[in-house]
Amino acid sequence: MTYVITELCIDSKDSSCYDVCPVDAIQPAPDGPDFDKHEQLFIDPVACVECGACEAVCPVEAIYDEDDVPEQWRSSIANNRQFFVDEEAPSQ
């Protein structure tokens, strides 16, 4: 399973997880143009290699293995996936 960033990241957006991700699965990039447009970071479920490095460094404990996301934050699983679907959709 992939890792998921939950709502606990909202307004924190600490980029420690981004810095340790070996495959750039975490977006938006802190130095990218879209960073300020989003209230939290997201993990690409396709790109994630399940190394767990992000979970270990998150200061607000917002990152979980998909199977371990607490019930109150289960909607984060779909939110993470949707972020990457929206990013791939062509602009109209």
Side-chain angles (χ1 to χ4, degrees), residues 10-87:
I10 293 176
D11 297 327
S12 168
K13 285 177 37 178
D14 181 274
S15 62
S16 298
C17 57
Y18 177 88
D19 295 336
V20 300
C21 182
V23 294
D24 295 330
I26 298 172
Q27 296 295 323
D31 57 353
D34 293 334
F35 187 75
D36 291 332
K37 294 179 184 176
H38 301 282
E39 60 186 6
Q40 74 168 76
L41 301 176
F42 301 91
I43 298 176
D44 184 340
V46 175
C48 179
V49 294
E50 303 167 34
C51 68
C54 58
E55 181 182 33
V57 299
C58 181
V60 295
E61 299 180 355
I63 302 174
Y64 294 86
D65 182 285
E66 185 175 311
D67 288 339
D68 298 330
V69 175
E71 188 62 39
Q72 68 266 34
W73 298 311
R74 298 290 293 170
S75 63
S76 296
I77 297 169
N79 293 343
N80 273 254
R81 291 182 190 280
Q82 189 62 46
F83 174 82
F84 293 96
V85 168
D86 292 345
E87 291 296 301

